[in-house]
Amino acid sequence: MTPQEFTKSMAFMCNAYRQEMTDTQVSVWYNFFRDLPLEKFNLAIVRIIEKEKYFPTVATIRQELAMIDNPHLQLDAAEEWEKVLRYISKYGS
């Protein structure tokens, strides 16, 4: 993605969180994400905006990108609890 595309995406995220970033901060962040396709980066930030209350870190965005690439890493709490209950009934507590 180009620096201009990244700046536009960051402005979108900053507006969603009512957060401000300096040009220098945007430039530093760009170094962490410049290798990504724009569509993938935008998907990650939209998913984060939908579920996170606070402005994300670089690590949070990278984690979301990993979840996009590897959906099997996502855990569903209800499904995992079901597994625990099954194991308890099968093997005992």
Side-chain angles (χ1 to χ4, degrees):
M1 102 182 88
T2 68
Q4 294 80 14
E5 292 169 333
F6 180 77
T7 299
K8 188 175 179 181
S9 295
M10 288 301 292
F12 175 80
M13 187 168 64
C14 286
N15 283 324
Y17 284 100
R18 296 182 181 171
Q19 178 80 23
E20 291 186 22
M21 291 183 84
T22 65
D23 291 341
T24 303
Q25 288 171 313
V26 172
S27 178
V28 169
W29 276 53
Y30 178 67
N31 289 316
F32 292 101
F33 301 109
R34 65 180 172 202
D35 60 319
L36 298 172
L38 176 64
E39 297 77 23
K40 186 174 177 182
F41 181 74
N42 285 341
L43 175 60
I45 64 172
V46 166
R47 286 173 57 164
I48 289 169
I49 291 168
E50 289 174 343
K51 66 183 176 182
E52 296 292 331
K53 188 174 181 179
Y54 300 106
F55 193 83
T57 62
V58 168
T60 302
I61 297 171
R62 279 286 179 190
Q63 184 178 21
E64 191 64 38
L65 289 162
M67 296 297 227
I68 290 168
D69 287 340
N70 303 294
H72 66 279
L73 295 176
Q74 297 181 26
L75 297 178
D76 178 30
E79 288 178 25
E80 297 303 313
W81 184 244
E82 236 354 92
K83 288 180 188 176
V84 169
L85 294 177
R86 277 195 308 258
Y87 289 137
I88 289 173
S89 68
K90 185 175 181 179
Y91 301 107
S93 55

